[in-house]
Amino acid sequence: MNSLSNKTIAGVLAFSFLALSACGGGGNSRGTNVILSSHSVSATTGGWLARDFAEPSTLADQCAANQTGSQFTEKMWLRSWSNDTYLWYNEIDDQNPAGFGVIDYFDELKTNALTASGRLKDQFHFSMPTQEWQQLNQSGASVGYGINFHLQQSDPSSGVERKVTITYTDPDTPASEANIARGAVVIDVDGVNISAANDATSIAALNNGLFPATDGQQTTFTLQDLGQNETRKVTLTAKTVISTPVQNVKTLATNTGKVGYLQFNSHIATAEKGLVDAITSLKAENISDLILDLRYNGGGYLALASQLSYMIAGDATEHKVFEKLTFNDKHQNFDPVTGEQLTSTPFYDTSIGFNEGLLTAGHALPTLNLSRVYVLTSQNTCSASESLMNGLRGIDVEVIQIGSTTCGKPYGFYPTPNCGTTYFTVQFSGENDKGFGDYSDGFEPTFNPSFDSEVKGCWVEDDLTHALGDKNEDLVAAALSYRETANCPGVQLAKYLMGNKRSVITQDFILEDKRMQAVLKNNRLVNFTR
Amino acid sequence: MKVNILVPSLLLMLLWCSFGCSIQAQQKSSFIEVSALISHFSNESHIEIENTISILLEQQRVLIADNAFIDSSYLSLERAAHKTDNGQLIMGRSMELPFRLRLIIKGDLCFIKDEKSGKSLALSITQCKVQ
């Protein structure tokens, strides 16, 4: 009896324990609060010794501001981190950090080598307060009017006047609702004349009006619309607008078949659905060629460039690499930041689900299966857009470039925070399937290419007097003409030479969008603790 | 004798526990996540959503548009387009993916959920409806 009772007790206890355990599993179904990770503080190391580098991790997060370290430890971390991960680490002059401010010292930790054309090889060395870096926007969202401007700076040495022209507007924005369109010239902003402004106060007023930073800001513009002699006044109220990265998808009828046109402005999350829709509709139109307008596309998500390349080239991408990343020779097999084995970026043939509300992951992408593409470019065509061109060239898709030389940025980095500042130092370069990635002077359209960074095509200046996608717009017209005749418009050569003439611009009086420039390397604020 | 008292006590405890479990199970079933939309837009709700996302993702500032979670329960967020002084994007070649969030209803509460980490935070002002 006792024995039986003991077994019963044991069984009941065991069951009760299991039941309680199960009950415990049902709890905590509410929101989980974020727990900030703690970090250990290493001891401050000794003095600087040339070519003697500590492990970066032993110097990380030792900050002057919160007295876990000092400016010296911050600089020593920068030095070790650069020596470990900077692409051209062996071109850094290892200077004693004493006597430098933290940001000034970071500015020294880069190569001063020049490209073949004589410009600095590394023009991509930045830092900014981590607070600034940690701003997230809904995909495509920003405060403004939905206008993109072309800013022609004043250059007294060559008699060029300051001029602001609309390049394009986004639909469903204050600008489009006010019927503002490409080619309109801004005459004045809140009564300040664009071309006549010649003092800092006036320039500040222009920048403030053109690039509003706050929701609700009202600005009155005097505009001269394209083709109009009269001007008109328009008052716009800034608000959070959503850009449309893929616009103006259309087909252009020619005697030799339909040519598709696609304006792709930014590699942002919402572009995935836009690109799929665009390629689907162009495929349904059975186009024989594609004009891809990247003239205002400064890049973004590299995976989108890979996807669009697949959607253009299709079968030709099979078993090919879109881009291979190369780090410095200390990291030939593993990514020094993620620790993952280095693998190549493929041509993605399915959706990734950048914005699952628009398109979920795993859907087969449409493809045009083209062996040739006309790409419209400018100096604003940069980074991921250049990767797209390079990736296609790497699998022998014929890329014909119409426009001007691209920005020349085959490099990338992992933004890395330390002591309230986020640093950007070049850590990798990208190469296509043929192993080519040396286009730091940009891709240049040339009728007779001699070098790998020169691309067959025509140098043509942006034509702000016609709508984008218009058959008479100079870049589109040149692409269509080249397609028919394999020749470039002759009149553009003189403009090319003029365009390459060095200008002298008064730096104090330039118009520029400073909203997201984030003080960058001139910043001195370090009193922020993560 | 002690055993005779102990066994009913343990059985009672087991019964209580089972009852408790069944209540929790009911609660748990009512906590099934359901995709949601905002049922009533207000400035207060807009600010609450921005602040909640900021805390959830441990980011300093968040900017969303008025249409966030109005037509879709999903929202993608990206780094602000920081540019150099010559107008180029700093992160023109990004290896990241966007932050992907979903508005959900669990029980009687509305939450914003980070699809990557699975973490979610409740909203107190914002009114939601099942999508």
Side-chain angles (χ1 to χ4, degrees), chain A residues 302-340:
Chain A
L302 191 68
L304 279 169
S306 163
Q307 288 180 310
L308 180 54
S309 299
Y310 169 78
M311 288 191 269
I312 291 168
D315 295 343
T317 64
E318 195 171 1
H319 306 306
K320 301 285 186 180
V321 165
F322 174 69
E323 188 169 88
K324 288 177 284 193
L325 294 190
T326 303
F327 290 80
N328 69 34
D329 59 10
K330 297 177 180 179
H331 304 286
Q332 297 184 26
N333 298 313
F334 292 91
D335 184 316
V337 178
T338 66
E340 294 172 358

mmCIF file of all heavy atoms in Angstrom, chain A residues 302-340:
data_model
loop_
_atom_site.group_PDB
_atom_site.id
_atom_site.type_symbol
_atom_site.label_atom_id
_atom_site.label_comp_id
_atom_site.label_asym_id
_atom_site.label_seq_id
_atom_site.Cartn_x
_atom_site.Cartn_y
_atom_site.Cartn_z
ATOM 1 N N LEU A 302 22.237 46.225 -53.606
ATOM 2 C CA LEU A 302 22.944 45.529 -54.676
ATOM 3 C C LEU A 302 22.111 44.366 -55.213
ATOM 4 O O LEU A 302 22.135 44.060 -56.406
ATOM 5 C CB LEU A 302 24.286 45.006 -54.147
ATOM 6 C CG LEU A 302 25.255 44.499 -55.191
ATOM 7 C CD1 LEU A 302 25.762 45.638 -56.062
ATOM 8 C CD2 LEU A 302 26.437 43.806 -54.531
ATOM 9 N N ALA A 303 21.351 43.722 -54.335
ATOM 10 C CA ALA A 303 20.550 42.568 -54.765
ATOM 11 C C ALA A 303 19.517 42.964 -55.820
ATOM 12 O O ALA A 303 19.175 42.162 -56.692
ATOM 13 C CB ALA A 303 19.859 41.934 -53.559
ATOM 14 N N LEU A 304 19.033 44.196 -55.758
ATOM 15 C CA LEU A 304 18.089 44.646 -56.773
ATOM 16 C C LEU A 304 18.761 44.759 -58.135
ATOM 17 O O LEU A 304 18.146 44.474 -59.170
ATOM 18 C CB LEU A 304 17.491 46.006 -56.370
ATOM 19 C CG LEU A 304 16.349 45.991 -55.367
ATOM 20 C CD1 LEU A 304 16.057 47.408 -54.887
ATOM 21 C CD2 LEU A 304 15.088 45.394 -55.991
ATOM 22 N N ALA A 305 20.026 45.199 -58.128
ATOM 23 C CA ALA A 305 20.772 45.284 -59.387
ATOM 24 C C ALA A 305 20.941 43.893 -59.982
ATOM 25 O O ALA A 305 20.825 43.702 -61.203
ATOM 26 C CB ALA A 305 22.130 45.936 -59.142
ATOM 27 N N SER A 306 21.205 42.926 -59.121
ATOM 28 C CA SER A 306 21.335 41.543 -59.580
ATOM 29 C C SER A 306 20.013 41.039 -60.168
ATOM 30 O O SER A 306 19.989 40.418 -61.235
ATOM 31 C CB SER A 306 21.771 40.653 -58.410
ATOM 32 O OG SER A 306 21.530 39.302 -58.688
ATOM 33 N N GLN A 307 18.928 41.322 -59.470
ATOM 34 C CA GLN A 307 17.618 40.872 -59.964
ATOM 35 C C GLN A 307 17.292 41.486 -61.329
ATOM 36 O O GLN A 307 16.828 40.789 -62.237
ATOM 37 C CB GLN A 307 16.517 41.265 -58.971
ATOM 38 C CG GLN A 307 16.516 40.456 -57.679
ATOM 39 C CD GLN A 307 15.396 40.914 -56.758
ATOM 40 O OE1 GLN A 307 15.227 42.105 -56.485
ATOM 41 N NE2 GLN A 307 14.614 39.975 -56.260
ATOM 42 N N LEU A 308 17.514 42.793 -61.457
ATOM 43 C CA LEU A 308 17.187 43.443 -62.730
ATOM 44 C C LEU A 308 18.081 42.902 -63.850
ATOM 45 O O LEU A 308 17.621 42.726 -64.985
ATOM 46 C CB LEU A 308 17.327 44.967 -62.604
ATOM 47 C CG LEU A 308 17.014 45.754 -63.886
ATOM 48 C CD1 LEU A 308 15.627 45.415 -64.442
ATOM 49 C CD2 LEU A 308 17.123 47.258 -63.639
ATOM 50 N N SER A 309 19.336 42.629 -63.527
ATOM 51 C CA SER A 309 20.222 42.042 -64.542
ATOM 52 C C SER A 309 19.660 40.716 -65.033
ATOM 53 O O SER A 309 19.672 40.426 -66.233
ATOM 54 C CB SER A 309 21.621 41.823 -63.953
ATOM 55 O OG SER A 309 22.176 43.044 -63.553
ATOM 56 N N TYR A 310 19.178 39.902 -64.078
ATOM 57 C CA TYR A 310 18.554 38.632 -64.488
ATOM 58 C C TYR A 310 17.334 38.913 -65.353
ATOM 59 O O TYR A 310 17.107 38.254 -66.380
ATOM 60 C CB TYR A 310 18.156 37.793 -63.267
ATOM 61 C CG TYR A 310 17.279 36.634 -63.665
ATOM 62 C CD1 TYR A 310 17.840 35.489 -64.238
ATOM 63 C CD2 TYR A 310 15.893 36.710 -63.552
ATOM 64 C CE1 TYR A 310 17.031 34.445 -64.674
ATOM 65 C CE2 TYR A 310 15.079 35.674 -63.993
ATOM 66 C CZ TYR A 310 15.655 34.541 -64.544
ATOM 67 O OH TYR A 310 14.860 33.526 -64.991
ATOM 68 N N MET A 311 16.526 39.866 -64.945
ATOM 69 C CA MET A 311 15.292 40.136 -65.697
ATOM 70 C C MET A 311 15.581 40.641 -67.109
ATOM 71 O O MET A 311 14.763 40.504 -68.001
ATOM 72 C CB MET A 311 14.409 41.125 -64.921
ATOM 73 C CG MET A 311 13.759 40.507 -63.695
ATOM 74 S SD MET A 311 12.481 41.539 -62.951
ATOM 75 C CE MET A 311 13.423 42.480 -61.771
ATOM 76 N N ILE A 312 16.755 41.208 -67.300
ATOM 77 C CA ILE A 312 17.143 41.647 -68.647
ATOM 78 C C ILE A 312 17.730 40.477 -69.440
ATOM 79 O O ILE A 312 17.351 40.223 -70.577
ATOM 80 C CB ILE A 312 18.173 42.799 -68.556
ATOM 81 C CG1 ILE A 312 17.499 44.055 -67.997
ATOM 82 C CG2 ILE A 312 18.802 43.081 -69.924
ATOM 83 C CD1 ILE A 312 18.467 45.157 -67.599
ATOM 84 N N ALA A 313 18.659 39.752 -68.813
ATOM 85 C CA ALA A 313 19.456 38.782 -69.582
ATOM 86 C C ALA A 313 18.923 37.359 -69.524
ATOM 87 O O ALA A 313 19.199 36.562 -70.432
ATOM 88 C CB ALA A 313 20.893 38.809 -69.068
ATOM 89 N N GLY A 314 18.226 36.984 -68.483
ATOM 90 C CA GLY A 314 17.609 35.657 -68.414
ATOM 91 C C GLY A 314 18.586 34.510 -68.501
ATOM 92 O O GLY A 314 19.489 34.366 -67.670
ATOM 93 N N ASP A 315 18.419 33.688 -69.529
ATOM 94 C CA ASP A 315 19.175 32.437 -69.643
ATOM 95 C C ASP A 315 20.691 32.650 -69.626
ATOM 96 O O ASP A 315 21.438 31.771 -69.185
ATOM 97 C CB ASP A 315 18.796 31.699 -70.935
ATOM 98 C CG ASP A 315 17.348 31.235 -70.917
ATOM 99 O OD1 ASP A 315 16.764 31.189 -69.809
ATOM 100 O OD2 ASP A 315 16.802 30.939 -71.991
ATOM 101 N N ALA A 316 21.147 33.789 -70.097
ATOM 102 C CA ALA A 316 22.596 34.042 -70.165
ATOM 103 C C ALA A 316 23.232 34.118 -68.780
ATOM 104 O O ALA A 316 24.461 34.050 -68.638
ATOM 105 C CB ALA A 316 22.861 35.347 -70.921
ATOM 106 N N THR A 317 22.413 34.260 -67.747
ATOM 107 C CA THR A 317 22.964 34.393 -66.392
ATOM 108 C C THR A 317 23.203 33.037 -65.730
ATOM 109 O O THR A 317 23.804 32.972 -64.661
ATOM 110 C CB THR A 317 21.992 35.185 -65.482
ATOM 111 O OG1 THR A 317 20.776 34.428 -65.343
ATOM 112 C CG2 THR A 317 21.680 36.547 -66.070
ATOM 113 N N GLU A 318 22.745 31.973 -66.376
ATOM 114 C CA GLU A 318 22.816 30.653 -65.745
ATOM 115 C C GLU A 318 24.269 30.265 -65.459
ATOM 116 O O GLU A 318 25.147 30.393 -66.321
ATOM 117 C CB GLU A 318 22.158 29.607 -66.648
ATOM 118 C CG GLU A 318 21.880 28.319 -65.927
ATOM 119 C CD GLU A 318 21.028 27.359 -66.768
ATOM 120 O OE1 GLU A 318 20.686 27.707 -67.917
ATOM 121 O OE2 GLU A 318 20.722 26.292 -66.260
ATOM 122 N N HIS A 319 24.508 29.821 -64.242
ATOM 123 C CA HIS A 319 25.841 29.400 -63.774
ATOM 124 C C HIS A 319 26.867 30.541 -63.814
ATOM 125 O O HIS A 319 28.061 30.296 -63.860
ATOM 126 C CB HIS A 319 26.373 28.215 -64.589
ATOM 127 C CG HIS A 319 25.439 27.050 -64.635
ATOM 128 N ND1 HIS A 319 24.932 26.463 -63.487
ATOM 129 C CD2 HIS A 319 24.893 26.388 -65.686
ATOM 130 C CE1 HIS A 319 24.117 25.472 -63.840
ATOM 131 N NE2 HIS A 319 24.068 25.408 -65.160
ATOM 132 N N LYS A 320 26.385 31.768 -63.822
ATOM 133 C CA LYS A 320 27.303 32.915 -63.850
ATOM 134 C C LYS A 320 27.207 33.686 -62.534
ATOM 135 O O LYS A 320 26.230 33.593 -61.804
ATOM 136 C CB LYS A 320 26.944 33.859 -65.011
ATOM 137 C CG LYS A 320 27.000 33.214 -66.384
ATOM 138 C CD LYS A 320 28.415 33.007 -66.851
ATOM 139 C CE LYS A 320 28.431 32.503 -68.299
ATOM 140 N NZ LYS A 320 29.780 32.290 -68.803
ATOM 141 N N VAL A 321 28.214 34.484 -62.317
ATOM 142 C CA VAL A 321 28.291 35.296 -61.095
ATOM 143 C C VAL A 321 27.937 36.734 -61.433
ATOM 144 O O VAL A 321 28.430 37.283 -62.422
ATOM 145 C CB VAL A 321 29.721 35.214 -60.521
ATOM 146 C CG1 VAL A 321 29.960 36.305 -59.492
ATOM 147 C CG2 VAL A 321 29.968 33.842 -59.923
ATOM 148 N N PHE A 322 27.071 37.331 -60.625
ATOM 149 C CA PHE A 322 26.777 38.750 -60.831
ATOM 150 C C PHE A 322 27.950 39.593 -60.349
ATOM 151 O O PHE A 322 28.440 40.461 -61.060
ATOM 152 C CB PHE A 322 25.503 39.150 -60.079
ATOM 153 C CG PHE A 322 25.216 40.631 -60.131
ATOM 154 C CD1 PHE A 322 24.842 41.229 -61.318
ATOM 155 C CD2 PHE A 322 25.351 41.422 -58.996
ATOM 156 C CE1 PHE A 322 24.589 42.594 -61.383
ATOM 157 C CE2 PHE A 322 25.096 42.783 -59.046
ATOM 158 C CZ PHE A 322 24.713 43.369 -60.249
ATOM 159 N N GLU A 323 28.401 39.317 -59.131
ATOM 160 C CA GLU A 323 29.521 40.100 -58.594
ATOM 161 C C GLU A 323 30.268 39.304 -57.533
ATOM 162 O O GLU A 323 29.659 38.635 -56.706
ATOM 163 C CB GLU A 323 29.018 41.407 -58.005
ATOM 164 C CG GLU A 323 30.140 42.349 -57.615
ATOM 165 C CD GLU A 323 29.644 43.745 -57.273
ATOM 166 O OE1 GLU A 323 29.298 43.981 -56.106
ATOM 167 O OE2 GLU A 323 29.602 44.589 -58.176
ATOM 168 N N LYS A 324 31.576 39.406 -57.599
ATOM 169 C CA LYS A 324 32.427 38.799 -56.567
ATOM 170 C C LYS A 324 33.010 39.920 -55.724
ATOM 171 O O LYS A 324 33.506 40.901 -56.277
ATOM 172 C CB LYS A 324 33.577 38.015 -57.211
ATOM 173 C CG LYS A 324 33.159 36.723 -57.889
ATOM 174 C CD LYS A 324 34.327 36.048 -58.571
ATOM 175 C CE LYS A 324 34.685 36.764 -59.863
ATOM 176 N NZ LYS A 324 35.600 36.009 -60.732
ATOM 177 N N LEU A 325 32.946 39.772 -54.423
ATOM 178 C CA LEU A 325 33.537 40.777 -53.547
ATOM 179 C C LEU A 325 34.964 40.389 -53.211
ATOM 180 O O LEU A 325 35.252 39.223 -52.921
ATOM 181 C CB LEU A 325 32.734 40.912 -52.252
ATOM 182 C CG LEU A 325 31.312 41.460 -52.367
ATOM 183 C CD1 LEU A 325 30.752 41.747 -50.978
ATOM 184 C CD2 LEU A 325 31.272 42.721 -53.212
ATOM 185 N N THR A 326 35.841 41.375 -53.239
ATOM 186 C CA THR A 326 37.228 41.144 -52.879
ATOM 187 C C THR A 326 37.603 42.070 -51.738
ATOM 188 O O THR A 326 37.411 43.285 -51.838
ATOM 189 C CB THR A 326 38.149 41.438 -54.085
ATOM 190 O OG1 THR A 326 37.730 40.627 -55.180
ATOM 191 C CG2 THR A 326 39.596 41.122 -53.750
ATOM 192 N N PHE A 327 38.092 41.491 -50.654
ATOM 193 C CA PHE A 327 38.583 42.282 -49.517
ATOM 194 C C PHE A 327 40.104 42.378 -49.629
ATOM 195 O O PHE A 327 40.695 41.910 -50.615
ATOM 196 C CB PHE A 327 38.165 41.610 -48.205
ATOM 197 C CG PHE A 327 36.684 41.688 -47.944
ATOM 198 C CD1 PHE A 327 35.796 40.818 -48.574
ATOM 199 C CD2 PHE A 327 36.160 42.639 -47.087
ATOM 200 C CE1 PHE A 327 34.437 40.886 -48.358
ATOM 201 C CE2 PHE A 327 34.783 42.713 -46.859
ATOM 202 C CZ PHE A 327 33.925 41.832 -47.492
ATOM 203 N N ASN A 328 40.746 42.953 -48.633
ATOM 204 C CA ASN A 328 42.205 43.046 -48.720
ATOM 205 C C ASN A 328 42.827 41.651 -48.542
ATOM 206 O O ASN A 328 42.137 40.690 -48.209
ATOM 207 C CB ASN A 328 42.755 44.080 -47.733
ATOM 208 C CG ASN A 328 42.610 43.658 -46.277
ATOM 209 O OD1 ASN A 328 42.703 42.482 -45.950
ATOM 210 N ND2 ASN A 328 42.371 44.625 -45.389
ATOM 211 N N ASP A 329 44.132 41.568 -48.769
ATOM 212 C CA ASP A 329 44.758 40.240 -48.844
ATOM 213 C C ASP A 329 44.829 39.527 -47.499
ATOM 214 O O ASP A 329 45.242 38.366 -47.435
ATOM 215 C CB ASP A 329 46.148 40.330 -49.492
ATOM 216 C CG ASP A 329 47.097 41.251 -48.740
ATOM 217 O OD1 ASP A 329 46.754 41.685 -47.609
ATOM 218 O OD2 ASP A 329 48.190 41.544 -49.278
ATOM 219 N N LYS A 330 44.394 40.180 -46.425
ATOM 220 C CA LYS A 330 44.309 39.489 -45.134
ATOM 221 C C LYS A 330 43.026 38.662 -45.028
ATOM 222 O O LYS A 330 42.874 37.865 -44.107
ATOM 223 C CB LYS A 330 44.320 40.500 -43.981
ATOM 224 C CG LYS A 330 45.596 41.317 -43.884
ATOM 225 C CD LYS A 330 45.475 42.331 -42.758
ATOM 226 C CE LYS A 330 46.738 43.156 -42.659
ATOM 227 N NZ LYS A 330 46.655 44.164 -41.585
ATOM 228 N N HIS A 331 42.124 38.927 -45.928
ATOM 229 C CA HIS A 331 40.799 38.295 -45.835
ATOM 230 C C HIS A 331 40.405 37.744 -47.209
ATOM 231 O O HIS A 331 39.528 38.286 -47.874
ATOM 232 C CB HIS A 331 39.770 39.314 -45.336
ATOM 233 C CG HIS A 331 40.135 39.941 -44.028
ATOM 234 N ND1 HIS A 331 40.034 39.272 -42.831
ATOM 235 C CD2 HIS A 331 40.648 41.165 -43.740
ATOM 236 C CE1 HIS A 331 40.453 40.067 -41.846
ATOM 237 N NE2 HIS A 331 40.832 41.217 -42.367
ATOM 238 N N GLN A 332 41.082 36.703 -47.605
ATOM 239 C CA GLN A 332 40.840 36.167 -48.943
ATOM 240 C C GLN A 332 39.725 35.119 -48.966
ATOM 241 O O GLN A 332 39.201 34.806 -50.032
ATOM 242 C CB GLN A 332 42.135 35.576 -49.498
ATOM 243 C CG GLN A 332 43.198 36.649 -49.662
ATOM 244 C CD GLN A 332 44.470 36.129 -50.292
ATOM 245 O OE1 GLN A 332 44.455 35.157 -51.027
ATOM 246 N NE2 GLN A 332 45.574 36.784 -50.014
ATOM 247 N N ASN A 333 39.390 34.593 -47.806
ATOM 248 C CA ASN A 333 38.388 33.524 -47.782
ATOM 249 C C ASN A 333 37.151 33.852 -46.952
ATOM 250 O O ASN A 333 36.092 33.301 -47.188
ATOM 251 C CB ASN A 333 39.012 32.226 -47.233
ATOM 252 C CG ASN A 333 40.144 31.742 -48.119
ATOM 253 O OD1 ASN A 333 40.012 31.688 -49.338
ATOM 254 N ND2 ASN A 333 41.282 31.423 -47.517
ATOM 255 N N PHE A 334 37.332 34.735 -45.979
ATOM 256 C CA PHE A 334 36.210 35.040 -45.090
ATOM 257 C C PHE A 334 35.980 36.550 -45.023
ATOM 258 O O PHE A 334 36.931 37.329 -45.031
ATOM 259 C CB PHE A 334 36.467 34.490 -43.682
ATOM 260 C CG PHE A 334 36.468 32.991 -43.620
ATOM 261 C CD1 PHE A 334 37.651 32.278 -43.781
ATOM 262 C CD2 PHE A 334 35.284 32.285 -43.425
ATOM 263 C CE1 PHE A 334 37.659 30.893 -43.752
ATOM 264 C CE2 PHE A 334 35.276 30.901 -43.391
ATOM 265 C CZ PHE A 334 36.467 30.205 -43.558
ATOM 266 N N ASP A 335 34.707 36.906 -44.950
ATOM 267 C CA ASP A 335 34.328 38.304 -44.791
ATOM 268 C C ASP A 335 34.787 38.763 -43.405
ATOM 269 O O ASP A 335 34.375 38.175 -42.399
ATOM 270 C CB ASP A 335 32.800 38.410 -44.920
ATOM 271 C CG ASP A 335 32.291 39.835 -44.879
ATOM 272 O OD1 ASP A 335 32.765 40.608 -44.014
ATOM 273 O OD2 ASP A 335 31.413 40.174 -45.687
ATOM 274 N N PRO A 336 35.632 39.799 -43.318
ATOM 275 C CA PRO A 336 36.169 40.176 -42.016
ATOM 276 C C PRO A 336 35.129 40.774 -41.069
ATOM 277 O O PRO A 336 35.366 40.849 -39.865
ATOM 278 C CB PRO A 336 37.227 41.233 -42.370
ATOM 279 C CG PRO A 336 36.806 41.778 -43.675
ATOM 280 C CD PRO A 336 36.144 40.642 -44.408
ATOM 281 N N VAL A 337 34.007 41.172 -41.595
ATOM 282 C CA VAL A 337 32.987 41.795 -40.752
ATOM 283 C C VAL A 337 31.941 40.768 -40.324
ATOM 284 O O VAL A 337 31.644 40.624 -39.139
ATOM 285 C CB VAL A 337 32.313 42.977 -41.482
ATOM 286 C CG1 VAL A 337 31.222 43.597 -40.616
ATOM 287 C CG2 VAL A 337 33.368 44.018 -41.850
ATOM 288 N N THR A 338 31.423 40.011 -41.259
ATOM 289 C CA THR A 338 30.392 39.030 -40.911
ATOM 290 C C THR A 338 30.988 37.701 -40.472
ATOM 291 O O THR A 338 30.312 36.902 -39.817
ATOM 292 C CB THR A 338 29.464 38.754 -42.106
ATOM 293 O OG1 THR A 338 30.230 38.101 -43.138
ATOM 294 C CG2 THR A 338 28.881 40.041 -42.659
ATOM 295 N N GLY A 339 32.230 37.446 -40.848
ATOM 296 C CA GLY A 339 32.869 36.177 -40.519
ATOM 297 C C GLY A 339 32.452 35.040 -41.436
ATOM 298 O O GLY A 339 32.918 33.910 -41.293
ATOM 299 N N GLU A 340 31.574 35.346 -42.372
ATOM 300 C CA GLU A 340 31.087 34.303 -43.273
ATOM 301 C C GLU A 340 32.079 34.039 -44.398
ATOM 302 O O GLU A 340 32.839 34.927 -44.796
ATOM 303 C CB GLU A 340 29.733 34.713 -43.869
ATOM 304 C CG GLU A 340 28.631 34.803 -42.825
ATOM 305 C CD GLU A 340 27.350 35.407 -43.386
ATOM 306 O OE1 GLU A 340 27.338 35.795 -44.566
ATOM 307 O OE2 GLU A 340 26.372 35.498 -42.621
#
